[in-house]
Amino acid sequence: MILHKYKIVFGGKKGAGKTAAIRSLSEISVLSTEAHNTDEQSHSKALTTVGIDYGEIKLDDEVAVGLYGTPGQDRFDFVWSVICKGAIGAVVLIDHSQKDALEDLKFYFQAFKEYVNNIVVGVTHVDEDPQHLLKQYKDWMNLNKLTMPIFAIDAREKDDVLLMVEALIARAEVEFG
């Protein structure tokens, strides 16, 4: 595995946009472990990550940040702790078009909170179901007294993904020095 002083992990359910987010931001060719999807009941996409996706971005001061994508299926959750070790934080992506999107937020927040203290949420596929946009997620965070940045994004758009990464880095600098 490639090691960096700084790394950011992208987590979330299959189809939420983890690989697309890393591809949109990475300044190197993304190392991808996508394979043909054999579980079309959970998502109809053709390919799915079965290992780790890896990309890289350089900050203004030329410091390289590793971008690590996790497999979305919870049967691969044993990999998440390994990937998260030493990360400055995680971007949890939620597919807003899924009926159980709020349950996905609860699940992936709890799962990644075990490994990192710094989480930013990106809600993808908002164009497919624009009703209420971020309200249900913000209401859940308020109810649970959580303060995390949450963004409606298109994972294919570099500026959207960069905004989340910058928020994660800023939170790390403020909260954790």
Side-chain angles (χ1 to χ4, degrees), residues 65-139:
V65 177
L67 308 170
Y68 294 77
T70 64
Q73 305 91 323
D74 57 2
R75 69 177 183 258
F76 294 121
D77 65 353
F78 64 92
V79 178
W80 300 347
S81 64
V82 175
I83 297 171
C84 287
K85 189 171 184 158
I88 62 172
V91 173
V92 172
L93 296 177
I94 303 300
D95 181 348
H96 184 67
S97 69
Q98 298 294 307
K99 292 177 188 169
D100 55 355
L102 186 56
E103 291 303 314
D104 290 342
L105 174 59
K106 294 174 187 177
F107 175 80
Y108 286 96
F109 170 75
Q110 282 305 123
F112 282 88
K113 189 67 177 162
E114 289 185 37
Y115 312 122
V116 295
N117 294 323
N118 188 14
I119 296 175
V120 169
V121 177
V123 180
T124 62
H125 304 285
V126 293
D127 56 321
E128 296 175 32
D129 181 13
Q131 292 289 70
H132 303 105
L133 288 178
L134 302 180
K135 184 178 180 350
Q136 65 178 329
Y137 311 107
K138 289 179 180 179
D139 289 348

Side-chain angles (χ1 to χ4, degrees), residues 2-177:
I2 302 167
L3 299 175
H4 278 90
K5 183 174 180 185
Y6 300 107
K7 74 177 179 179
I8 294 173
V9 176
F10 288 76
K13 194 172 190 174
K14 177 169 49 170
K18 300 174 300 293
T19 301
I22 292 171
R23 283 190 179 137
S24 71
L25 195 57
S26 183
E27 296 172 354
I28 65 168
S29 294
V30 174
L31 170 66
S32 181
T33 58
E34 288 192 314
H36 290 285
N37 179 18
T38 58
D39 181 13
E40 291 186 2
Q41 287 181 335
S42 68
H43 205 286
S44 62
K45 64 186 261 182
L47 299 174
T48 187
T49 300
V50 295
I52 300 170
D53 288 337
Y54 175 77
E56 218 175 78
I57 187 172
K58 287 197 174 150
L59 303 178
D60 291 337
D61 55 3
E62 294 301 310
V63 172
V65 177
L67 308 170
Y68 294 77
T70 64
Q73 305 91 323
D74 57 2
R75 69 177 183 258
F76 294 121
D77 65 353
F78 64 92
V79 178
W80 300 347
S81 64
V82 175
I83 297 171
C84 287
K85 189 171 184 158
I88 62 172
V91 173
V92 172
L93 296 177
I94 303 300
D95 181 348
H96 184 67
S97 69
Q98 298 294 307
K99 292 177 188 169
D100 55 355
L102 186 56
E103 291 303 314
D104 290 342
L105 174 59
K106 294 174 187 177
F107 175 80
Y108 286 96
F109 170 75
Q110 282 305 123
F112 282 88
K113 189 67 177 162
E114 289 185 37
Y115 312 122
V116 295
N117 294 323
N118 188 14
I119 296 175
V120 169
V121 177
V123 180
T124 62
H125 304 285
V126 293
D127 56 321
E128 296 175 32
D129 181 13
Q131 292 289 70
H132 303 105
L133 288 178
L134 302 180
K135 184 178 180 350
Q136 65 178 329
Y137 311 107
K138 289 179 180 179
D139 289 348
W140 177 78
M141 285 193 273
N142 287 335
L143 183 66
N144 290 282
K145 297 179 177 24
L146 299 171
T147 55
M148 293 178 287
I150 183 167
F151 302 93
I153 67 145
D154 182 334
R156 301 165 296 186
E157 294 294 326
K158 180 178 182 175
D159 289 342
D160 287 4
V161 180
L162 188 57
L163 180 63
M164 289 188 307
V165 166
E166 288 172 344
L168 191 71
I169 291 170
R171 262 181 71 116
E173 289 175 346
V174 169
E175 294 189 29
F176 309 109

